[in-house]
């Protein structure tokens, strides 16, 4: 389900929804998921239990922001702009 660009990005619930979608995109690829877990120190179990934790959501958006090819591919897959992913990260950090 594409992220609705017409809605304001200053909505924590929408930012969390986009971050969850980003996590879904990250874990679809085994190599990318392993890289994410390795870089964040998360395990599959801590990822699962942390899906309602802003720090976990932010970690996924940071992961994408720190590797532009993934950021661009994730944005395309989620039908958003890379800037929207970055804005969601900033919203969650507030």
């Amino acid at each position: 389900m594409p992220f609705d660009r017409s809605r304001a990005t200053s909505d924590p619930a929408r930012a969390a929804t986009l971050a969850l979608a980003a996590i879904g995109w990250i874990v679809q690829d085994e190599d990318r998921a392993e890289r994410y877990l390795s870089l964040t120190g998360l395990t599959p179990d801590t990822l699962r239990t942390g899906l309602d934790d802003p720090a976990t959501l932010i970690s996924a958006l940071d992961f994408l922001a720190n590797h532009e090819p993934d950021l661009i591919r994730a944005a395309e897959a989620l039908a958003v702009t890379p800037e929207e992913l970055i804005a969601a990260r900033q919203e969650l950090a507030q």
Side-chain angles (χ1 to χ4, degrees):
M1 176 162 127
F3 188 68
D4 183 356
R5 291 180 220 187
S6 66
R7 305 283 310 260
T9 56
S10 61
D11 179 350
R14 294 189 57 71
T17 299
L18 184 53
L20 287 169
I23 289 172
W25 182 83
I26 290 167
V27 301
Q28 285 179 353
D29 178 82
E30 186 176 337
D31 290 338
R32 186 174 49 236
E34 287 179 17
R35 186 166 39 91
Y36 169 64
L37 294 176
S38 176
L39 289 171
T40 61
L42 294 169
T43 66
D45 287 337
T46 57
L47 176 59
R48 257 188 301 282
T49 60
L51 291 175
D52 61 350
D53 180 355
T56 300
L57 300 177
I58 289 169
S59 76
L61 297 171
D62 281 344
F63 172 78
L64 295 175
N66 288 319
H67 188 67
E68 188 175 11
D70 281 347
L71 177 65
I72 292 168
R73 285 193 296 266
E76 289 172 354
L78 300 173
V80 297
T81 65
E83 293 81 11
E84 286 174 283
L85 290 168
I86 301 303
R89 189 259 180 248
Q90 293 169 339
E91 177 62 30
L92 290 169
Q94 292 183 17

